Amino acid sequence: ATAVGVSWWALRPLLARLRRAKQLRIEGLFVYPIKGCRGHSLSRVELTPLGLQGDRRYMIVSEKGTFITQRELTEMALIHPDLPTEKGIMLHAALPEAASGADAKLPAPLFVPRRGEGSEATRMVQIWDDTVPGLDQGDVAANWLSGFLGKAGLRLVLFADSAHRPTSIAYGVGG
């Protein structure tokens, strides 16, 4: 009886989360094609084995392969990518609200063709405590990002379809 009581006590937080999950209500759907950049509000989106279709499949990494966040480069919020397609992703830059006139220069929009698995572009990248395979999307995208964000060595990578990054039990239920 003591073992059952201890087991029940240990599982209480998980059971409470599951009970709350039955009461969820979705207020909005947002997809962020590039982690840390501007996203899209959608009325519907397909759920895939990797999560919401097109959500955070791309990310910006340093030359060492560590992901970059808006905490490090707040200007990432000014990058508004289109929703990705099988062919690639279009990058757009926006001006900060304080910018004006002749001083305000934006890079031209850039279409980045999708480089897939099996190419020489595969590199290991780090996101938080996980290391996963990423597919480097090339020098043109890297130069566009580095130029706009003002930091050398940035790369755009796509999470490989074969990458597996399980959900931490601390943040949800999943595998």
Side-chain angles (χ1 to χ4, degrees):
T2 303
V4 171
V6 170
S7 296
W8 177 84
W9 183 259
L11 289 174
R12 255 182 18 151
L14 178 60
L15 294 172
R17 277 195 299 236
L18 289 174
R19 275 195 301 273
R20 281 193 305 267
K22 291 178 184 176
Q23 300 169 12
L24 288 179
R25 187 172 124 173
I26 297 173
E27 293 288 335
L29 293 170
F30 294 87
V31 171
Y32 299 86
I34 300 175
K35 185 168 179 55
C37 294
R38 190 168 167 191
H40 297 270
S41 173
L42 303 174
S43 60
R44 56 188 334 187
V45 65
E46 183 179 339
L47 185 60
T48 73
L50 297 173
L52 299 178
Q53 184 175 20
D55 188 47
R56 294 169 238 216
R57 291 298 311 278
Y58 290 86
M59 72 177 175
I60 299 170
V61 298
S62 69
E63 57 194 340
K64 294 180 181 178
T66 304
F67 85 109
I68 303 293
T69 70
Q70 275 190 34
R71 288 180 205 109
E72 298 166 76
L73 290 173
T74 56
E75 295 85 0
M76 286 174 62
L78 300 173
I79 297 175
H80 190 189
D82 289 348
L83 291 171
T85 68
E86 290 296 317
K87 295 184 187 235
I89 190 166
M90 178 71 80
L91 305 180
H92 302 272
L95 288 174
E97 290 182 16
S100 64
D103 295 340
K105 298 225 179 206
L106 288 176
L110 175 69
F111 180 74
V112 181
R114 182 179 174 145
R115 294 172 77 179
E117 291 191 64
S119 69
E120 299 166 2
T122 302
R123 62 184 290 171
M124 297 309 286
V125 295
Q126 186 168 357
I127 177 166
W128 301 116
D129 295 328
D130 299 319
T131 302
V132 296
L135 305 167
D136 191 296
Q137 298 300 294
D139 292 337
V140 174
N143 292 336
W144 190 96
L145 290 169
S146 291
F148 180 67
L149 296 172
K151 181 175 172 117
L154 298 177
R155 308 296 296 182
L156 181 65
V157 298
L158 171 68
F159 277 111
D161 289 337
S162 63
H164 182 68
R165 188 168 173 249
T167 303
S168 167
I169 192 71
Y171 303 108
V173 179

